[in-house]
Short mmCIF file of all heavy atoms in Angstrom, two decimals:
data_model
loop_
_atom_site.label_atom_id
_atom_site.label_comp_id
_atom_site.label_asym_id
_atom_site.label_seq_id
_atom_site.Cartn_x
_atom_site.Cartn_y
_atom_site.Cartn_z
N THR A 15 82.21 111.75 78.81
CA THR A 15 82.39 110.48 78.11
C THR A 15 83.74 109.86 78.59
O THR A 15 83.79 108.58 78.79
CB THR A 15 82.27 110.68 76.67
OG1 THR A 15 81.13 111.23 76.27
CG2 THR A 15 82.44 109.37 75.85
N LEU A 16 84.61 110.71 78.68
CA LEU A 16 85.96 110.23 79.07
C LEU A 16 85.91 109.63 80.49
O LEU A 16 86.51 108.60 80.82
CB LEU A 16 87.07 111.38 79.06
CG LEU A 16 88.45 110.98 79.45
CD1 LEU A 16 89.09 109.81 78.64
CD2 LEU A 16 89.33 112.23 79.39
N ARG A 17 85.17 110.31 81.41
CA ARG A 17 85.06 109.78 82.82
C ARG A 17 84.41 108.39 82.82
O ARG A 17 84.77 107.50 83.53
CB ARG A 17 84.19 110.77 83.57
CG ARG A 17 84.01 110.35 85.10
CD ARG A 17 83.03 111.34 85.78
NE ARG A 17 83.56 112.67 85.69
CZ ARG A 17 84.41 113.19 86.59
NH1 ARG A 17 84.92 112.32 87.55
NH2 ARG A 17 84.80 114.49 86.57
N GLU A 18 83.31 108.28 81.85
CA GLU A 18 82.63 106.93 81.81
C GLU A 18 83.58 105.84 81.27
O GLU A 18 83.53 104.70 81.84
CB GLU A 18 81.44 106.99 80.84
CG GLU A 18 80.36 107.87 81.33
CD GLU A 18 79.26 108.11 80.37
OE1 GLU A 18 79.35 107.59 79.25
OE2 GLU A 18 78.29 108.84 80.66
N VAL A 19 84.50 106.13 80.36
CA VAL A 19 85.45 105.20 79.90
C VAL A 19 86.36 104.81 81.02
O VAL A 19 86.75 103.53 81.24
CB VAL A 19 86.21 105.72 78.71
CG1 VAL A 19 87.40 104.74 78.34
CG2 VAL A 19 85.30 105.94 77.51
N LEU A 20 86.90 105.74 81.79
CA LEU A 20 87.79 105.42 82.85
C LEU A 20 87.12 104.60 84.05
O LEU A 20 87.73 103.65 84.49
CB LEU A 20 88.18 106.67 83.55
CG LEU A 20 89.11 107.64 82.70
CD1 LEU A 20 89.55 108.87 83.53
CD2 LEU A 20 90.32 106.88 82.14
N VAL A 21 85.85 104.81 84.25
CA VAL A 21 85.07 103.94 85.19
C VAL A 21 84.95 102.49 84.72
O VAL A 21 85.13 101.54 85.44
CB VAL A 21 83.68 104.57 85.41
CG1 VAL A 21 82.78 103.55 86.31
CG2 VAL A 21 83.82 105.96 86.22
N GLU A 22 84.61 102.46 83.30
CA GLU A 22 84.44 101.11 82.79
C GLU A 22 85.68 100.27 82.85
O GLU A 22 85.74 99.12 82.98
CB GLU A 22 84.07 101.22 81.34
CG GLU A 22 82.57 101.64 81.18
CD GLU A 22 82.25 101.92 79.69
OE1 GLU A 22 83.07 101.77 78.81
OE2 GLU A 22 81.08 102.30 79.46
N ARG A 23 86.94 101.01 82.65
CA ARG A 23 88.12 100.28 82.63
C ARG A 23 88.86 100.28 84.00
O ARG A 23 90.01 99.78 84.12
CB ARG A 23 89.14 100.94 81.67
CG ARG A 23 88.47 100.85 80.13
CD ARG A 23 89.47 101.27 79.18
NE ARG A 23 88.80 101.23 77.87
CZ ARG A 23 89.42 101.39 76.72
NH1 ARG A 23 90.72 101.59 76.72
NH2 ARG A 23 88.76 101.38 75.53
N ASP A 24 88.13 100.82 84.96
CA ASP A 24 88.66 100.86 86.42
C ASP A 24 90.18 101.49 86.34
O ASP A 24 91.09 101.10 86.90
CB ASP A 24 88.75 99.51 86.91
CG ASP A 24 89.12 99.48 88.48
OD1 ASP A 24 88.82 100.62 89.10
OD2 ASP A 24 89.57 98.59 89.01
N MET A 25 90.19 102.61 85.59
CA MET A 25 91.46 103.34 85.50
C MET A 25 91.43 104.72 86.18
O MET A 25 90.45 105.43 86.03
CB MET A 25 91.78 103.58 84.02
CG MET A 25 93.15 104.31 83.65
SD MET A 25 93.43 104.71 81.96
CE MET A 25 93.48 103.05 81.32
N SER A 26 92.38 105.00 86.99
CA SER A 26 92.32 106.24 87.76
C SER A 26 92.76 107.45 86.89
O SER A 26 93.44 107.27 85.89
CB SER A 26 93.18 106.09 88.92
OG SER A 26 94.63 106.03 88.49
N GLN A 27 92.53 108.70 87.41
CA GLN A 27 92.96 109.83 86.58
C GLN A 27 94.45 109.90 86.66
O GLN A 27 95.06 110.34 85.68
CB GLN A 27 92.40 111.09 87.36
CG GLN A 27 90.87 111.23 87.31
CD GLN A 27 90.39 112.43 88.00
OE1 GLN A 27 91.07 113.48 87.95
NE2 GLN A 27 89.22 112.37 88.60
N GLN A 28 95.04 109.45 87.78
CA GLN A 28 96.53 109.39 87.89
C GLN A 28 97.16 108.50 86.81
O GLN A 28 98.14 108.92 86.13
CB GLN A 28 96.93 108.98 89.26
CG GLN A 28 98.43 108.83 89.50
CD GLN A 28 99.12 110.22 89.48
OE1 GLN A 28 98.48 111.22 89.90
NE2 GLN A 28 100.35 110.29 89.07
N GLU A 29 96.58 107.42 86.64
CA GLU A 29 97.09 106.40 85.56
C GLU A 29 96.90 107.00 84.25
O GLU A 29 97.86 106.80 83.34
CB GLU A 29 96.37 105.08 85.68
CG GLU A 29 96.89 104.02 84.65
CD GLU A 29 96.20 102.72 84.76
OE1 GLU A 29 95.46 102.50 85.76
OE2 GLU A 29 96.36 101.91 83.78
N LEU A 30 95.74 107.64 83.91
CA LEU A 30 95.58 108.22 82.61
C LEU A 30 96.63 109.33 82.43
O LEU A 30 97.08 109.59 81.22
CB LEU A 30 94.18 108.74 82.43
CG LEU A 30 93.86 109.36 81.10
CD1 LEU A 30 93.91 108.38 79.99
CD2 LEU A 30 92.44 110.05 81.08
N ALA A 31 96.90 110.11 83.42
CA ALA A 31 97.87 111.11 83.29
C ALA A 31 99.26 110.58 82.90
O ALA A 31 99.93 111.09 82.01
CB ALA A 31 97.93 111.92 84.65
N LEU A 32 99.59 109.47 83.54
CA LEU A 32 100.89 108.76 83.26
C LEU A 32 100.88 108.28 81.78
O LEU A 32 101.91 108.41 81.12
CB LEU A 32 101.19 107.74 84.27
CG LEU A 32 101.42 108.21 85.69
CD1 LEU A 32 101.46 106.98 86.69
CD2 LEU A 32 102.73 108.90 85.83
N ARG A 33 99.75 107.67 81.42
CA ARG A 33 99.73 107.08 80.00
C ARG A 33 99.80 108.15 78.85
O ARG A 33 100.21 107.83 77.85
CB ARG A 33 98.51 106.21 79.93
CG ARG A 33 98.61 104.96 80.70
CD ARG A 33 97.29 104.11 80.52
NE ARG A 33 97.32 102.89 81.26
CZ ARG A 33 97.76 101.73 80.72
NH1 ARG A 33 98.37 101.63 79.61
NH2 ARG A 33 97.86 100.62 81.57
N THR A 34 99.30 109.28 79.21
CA THR A 34 99.11 110.33 78.21
C THR A 34 100.25 111.42 78.33
O THR A 34 100.38 112.22 77.46
CB THR A 34 97.76 111.08 78.26
OG1 THR A 34 97.61 111.66 79.63
CG2 THR A 34 96.65 110.16 77.95
N GLY A 35 100.97 111.41 79.43
CA GLY A 35 102.04 112.37 79.62
C GLY A 35 101.48 113.65 79.92
O GLY A 35 102.20 114.71 79.78
N MET A 36 100.23 113.82 80.46
CA MET A 36 99.70 114.97 80.87
C MET A 36 99.68 115.04 82.37
O MET A 36 99.90 114.10 83.14
CB MET A 36 98.24 115.07 80.39
CG MET A 36 98.03 114.92 78.95
SD MET A 36 98.94 116.20 77.89
CE MET A 36 97.95 117.59 78.19
N THR A 37 99.47 116.28 83.02
CA THR A 37 99.42 116.36 84.54
C THR A 37 98.03 115.96 84.97
O THR A 37 96.95 115.96 84.31
CB THR A 37 99.58 117.85 84.86
OG1 THR A 37 98.53 118.66 84.38
CG2 THR A 37 100.90 118.38 84.30
N PRO A 38 97.96 115.41 86.17
CA PRO A 38 96.78 115.02 86.82
C PRO A 38 95.76 116.22 86.87
O PRO A 38 94.52 116.00 86.62
CB PRO A 38 97.08 114.61 88.22
CG PRO A 38 98.51 114.17 88.14
CD PRO A 38 99.13 115.10 87.07
#
Side-chain angles (χ1 to χ4, degrees):
T15 303
L16 179 57
R17 184 186 297 277
E18 292 173 0
V19 171
L20 294 182
V21 171
E22 288 175 359
R23 300 190 181 190
D24 195 23
M25 183 184 295
S26 67
Q27 296 181 32
Q28 179 68 32
E29 182 181 346
L30 181 63
L32 292 171
R33 288 179 179 274
T34 58
M36 307 298 289
T37 65

